[in-house]
Amino acid sequence: MSVSVIKYGGAAQSDAALRSAFAADVAERVRSGDSLVIVHGGGKEITALGERLGLDSSWVDGQRVTDAPYRDVVRWTLAGRVNQDVVRDLVALGVRAIGLTGLDAGLLVARRLGNGALGFVGEVTQVETAVLTDLLAAGFVPVVAPLAVDAADGEV
């Protein structure tokens, strides 16, 4: 089975016309028989919620420093609002989208970047593809919030 992984960035999510076009494109590809996995971002939403909560953002080489309070904001935003919004948009067009995070069934494993200078920011080192393969075989389009477990200490 050939599978395409699509990264759906936060910038595209913040514009209603782009959101609509993205969902329509995915729906068309699914109707054409493509197997897709969507991995979304949500940086703008994360920043907006952090600001509403009075948290300051800091950046190192273009990457957000994610301390423990900001990690909660990232989790709430990606696993909650953004993931559910993407799934909702796709389901409205008849796509059998299913939302999950990289934490579900151990889907994503990561290692921390920057020797801790970035806080809880990491890079994916392992993907448990069987989870995705099973969902795809059942006719679902997995929509993945990019949260992962750190292999070294089990932190998100």
Side-chain angles (χ1 to χ4, degrees):
M1 167 190 318
S2 175
V3 178
S4 296
V5 177
I6 299 172
K7 169 61 165 75
Y8 182 30
Q13 296 164 23
S14 63
D15 179 278
L18 290 175
R19 272 196 330 268
S20 179
F22 174 80
D25 288 347
V26 168
E28 180 58 33
R29 288 190 64 183
V30 168
R31 279 192 294 276
S32 297
D34 289 349
S35 293
L36 305 174
V37 175
I38 311 296
V39 179
H40 64 77
K44 288 186 176 195
E45 291 279 345
I46 292 166
T47 299
L49 179 56
E51 288 173 355
R52 284 197 310 267
L53 295 173
L55 298 175
D56 292 323
S57 292
S58 61
W59 303 82
V60 174
D61 296 327
Q63 297 212 322
R64 181 191 317 271
V65 175
T66 305
D67 59 9
Y70 229 101
R71 178 184 53 179
D72 287 342
V73 172
V74 170
R75 291 176 72 173
W76 299 331
T77 304
L78 294 179
R81 182 175 181 170
V82 174
N83 192 270
Q84 293 172 20
D85 285 352
V86 175
V87 169
R88 178 203 61 216
D89 291 349
L90 295 172
V91 168
L93 295 177
V95 175
R96 293 183 69 207
I98 187 165
L100 62 157
T101 75
L103 307 176
D104 297 318
L107 177 61
L108 301 176
V109 177
R111 70 172 178 85
R112 213 169 286 190
L113 289 176
N115 297 320
L118 297 172
F120 293 98
V121 175
E123 70 178 347
V124 173
T125 59
Q126 181 181 340
V127 178
E128 179 55 58
T129 58
V131 174
L132 300 173
T133 302
D134 290 348
L135 289 169
L136 291 164
F140 291 99
V141 173
V143 177
V144 181
L147 301 170
V149 173
D150 187 303
D153 60 16
E155 292 283 354
V156 176

